[in-house]
Amino acid sequence: FISGAFAQCVDPNAPPPLPGFLLPLACGTSTSITQGNNSPYSHNGLAAYAFDFGIPRHTPLVAIADGTVIATSDVVQPGDPCWNGGGEECANTVNYVLVQHADGTASLYMHLDAPVVNVGDAVARGQQVGWSGGTGWSTGPHAHLQRQQLCGSWWCQSVPTTFTDFNDAAPNTGDAVTSQNCP
């Protein structure tokens, strides 16, 4: 007996899901880290533990772990001055998604073209949360991810993050990564 509108088939030969946090890219996506932790450019202070992924505009970004969407912004639209990236004046004019996790941290996906989730949505690890872009204080299309404390704002102190699909380590600027964030 199958209840509900849909039944999910489970492959008994599939490997068990990976533990921990996974890269914010769809399964099998490969790219490089264009800016890692504690860089001299912008990953310092509150964003010391952040990662920029060199991906084209409108690439799917996925949740690094299960959670609940607690904030989104899609204030920047095509034609706006901060759509293709801008200077410091665009720092708070950016599209993003913030997902709270069971461990009391949140993951921030920033510089989006658009979020695809809403506040209050439960998301599963690997579920798409947005489309990459270049909005806000940005030098062009890429994805910014940081895991951070909860502080009552969308922009809080980042915390060290390692990725299970990167040998349980934090990638550095220039490292090649391939996502194993597979359903």
Side-chain angles (χ1 to χ4, degrees):
F1 174 77
I2 299 173
S3 67
F6 299 97
Q8 183 176 15
C9 296
V10 177
D11 179 355
N13 299 316
L18 296 171
F21 296 96
L22 298 179
L23 294 165
L25 307 168
C27 183
T29 301
S30 296
T31 191
S32 62
I33 301 298
T34 56
Q35 188 178 185
N37 294 176
N38 295 299
S39 76
Y41 180 65
S42 65
H43 290 182
N44 46 57
L46 288 179
Y49 302 107
F51 305 92
D52 285 349
F53 296 84
I55 54 176
R57 173 166 248 140
H58 219 65
T59 299
L61 293 177
V62 302
I64 64 172
D66 294 351
T68 302
V69 178
I70 59 171
T72 66
S73 174
D74 65 351
V75 298
V76 185
Q77 299 298 312
D80 288 346
C82 297
W83 176 255
N84 286 316
E88 194 170 350
E89 71 281 2
C90 293
N92 291 310
T93 308
V94 61
N95 295 342
Y96 63 84
V97 169
L98 186 63
V99 176
Q100 182 175 344
H101 305 294
D103 71 351
T105 66
S107 53
L108 175 64
Y109 309 80
M110 203 165 66
H111 305 301
L112 304 179
D113 272 353
V116 299
V117 292
N118 297 299
V119 172
D121 288 352
V123 295
R125 184 174 68 185
Q127 179 180 336
Q128 186 176 358
V129 296
W131 296 104
S132 68
T135 63
W137 187 0
S138 169
T139 58
H142 71 285
H144 174 102
L145 172 89
Q146 67 185 46
R147 204 167 119 244
Q148 61 186 30
Q149 299 171 353
L150 294 172
C151 69
S153 174
W154 68 274
W155 184 254
C156 304
Q157 179 62 55
S158 61
V159 297
T161 302
T162 60
F163 298 100
T164 301
D165 48 353
F166 191 75
N167 299 317
D168 288 321
N172 295 308
T173 301
D175 282 345
V177 297
T178 299
S179 176
Q180 294 177 41
N181 198 340
C182 306

